[in-house]
Amino acid sequence: MNTKPKRQWQNWLDRNVYDLARQMRLSYVPPLMVYLAAGVSGLTGIVGTFFVKEYLGLSAEFLAMLGFWVMLPWALKMPVGHLVDLLWRHKAKLIYLGAALIAASLLIMINLLADREFMTHILPAETWFVLSVLLAPIGYVVQDTVADAMTVEAVPRFDEQGSPLPEAQIKLAHTTMQTLGRVAIIGGSMLVAAANVILFDDVHLMDDAEKAAVYLAVYRWALVIPLISIAGVLLSAYLRSQQEWRLAAQGYEREEIDRLLARPEDELPEINCWILGGGLGFVLFAVLMGLSDIPNSDAIVFIGSLAIVMFLIWRLTLDLEPTQRNQLYGIAFVIFAFRAVPTTGAGETWWMIDVLTFDQQFLAQLSLVTSGLTLFGMFLFRRFMAERPITHVIAVLTIVLSALYLPNIALFYGFHEWTQAHTGGVVDARFIALIDTALESPLGQIAMIPMLAWIANSAPPRLKATYFAVMAAFVNLALSLSQLLTKALNQFFVISREIKDPTTGLTVTAADYSQLGSLFFIVMFLGLAMPLSAIFIARRTFLKDSN
């Protein structure tokens, strides 16, 4: 009687889930393992938050500034992406380099928790923490850039007999590969969220020594992250050797095997001095400014970095038709504004921990809900993203995400106390936070997918990694601007947690969350105004011919 809805549901599952599984190939696994490692990197996220709150005296303003420097290495995808294109046969070594940097970051934190006294004899704990935080993103940038290139290699261009595959089949395989990459990243975040729920069970009942032991265990488990990406490289080498043996058994000579399995010579780009020079200039400029005592050096670095990246984009797009180039610029401008929206900063999390009594396990549960619903949202909204212009997608997401700030504002002003009293304790602060997270979590990935598709579709065939890296650097600089704006807001709306002297136990800084409500309203307003203003401007300038 109700067979029609059932058939529709089965058809939807077949088109969006089962079909993706059917297209899975063994050659896809190596890059997916690198992406999985990136997803698993969130294992230490909650521990890092509580470590800062309980052991370090860093302000919300400083953490926002640190967030700016953490995002800056992603602009290194420019020179790294071009190097991957140039050194295609040696990209595995870059994975090992990235793994070493990630392992070094984790080992710093492990030693800081295991033997704080020894570490602080060398450098202050805050300095070690900053060093650890800066090493990790450099490693992930290197690995992510190489993984992008590995996805190209993972898609076969010839069948088992050595005959070229149809272009349409290759294009479909690339789409599948990119979708599976997103699934691997989110799947990794789901695994670590589930692990954190288990590891943080009853942690709020533990004393400081027991909590430290749990934190230490989490960081030790995180050492599996670099091993996952290294295993992906080793598997890739094994699969390559198996293919070589199979083709050799069919009578192919070494030159023919290289032609079939390696990247064709006509796809290898020439050295682009603008990309390498601009990337080197960016690195030197950022390092010199970071080591200087010039006021607002982070803002100066951002302006200089943005100028360099925009110049490189201009150089790369000179060969495009004017209409196509303007469309690319317009979409880039809108995406930049959407991702540059500031956040409330670390103060919101501190308030949730201190005032709403959200413990480590509940934050892990929120992370698990976020990952699970994000994965579901990827499949649920695929058609919505495919059938509508990216400006329309961004406009809808902007309005919805801004509206989802209202539950946070309501919690700040005690709405949960009223609902808890009138629902027998069911609708409390945690219930509202879970519902808000459930509604908001898929939207972040929905925003990312059309951005990635836009970058991939705009890349010329011979400069895939280079073009993707430069455009991605521009989009990621928007996150650096977001951190700068967050820092500025935290300077104006001062939010502080309670900080006690570890020796005397006396309160050094009292907790003060009185200005968080005003900060919520400002961030919500900027989250609505910045992207919509960018869409309005873009449609009347760059995108006026496509309206």
Side-chain angles (χ1 to χ4, degrees), residues 93-107:
K93 296 175 183 178
L94 291 173
I95 291 288
Y96 299 143
L97 173 62
L101 292 171
I102 295 167
S105 171
L106 294 170
L107 288 172

Side-chain angles (χ1 to χ4, degrees), residues 165-182:
L165 294 172
E167 187 66 28
Q169 184 175 339
I170 295 176
K171 184 177 180 180
L172 176 63
H174 277 299
T175 303
T176 301
M177 178 75 254
Q178 295 302 322
T179 304
L180 289 171
R182 299 305 101 194

Side-chain angles (χ1 to χ4, degrees), residues 13-25:
L13 284 175
D14 186 74
R15 288 195 312 271
N16 294 284
V17 182
Y18 301 150
D19 185 60
L20 197 63
R22 286 193 294 266
Q23 295 179 43
M24 179 68 185
R25 299 175 61 95

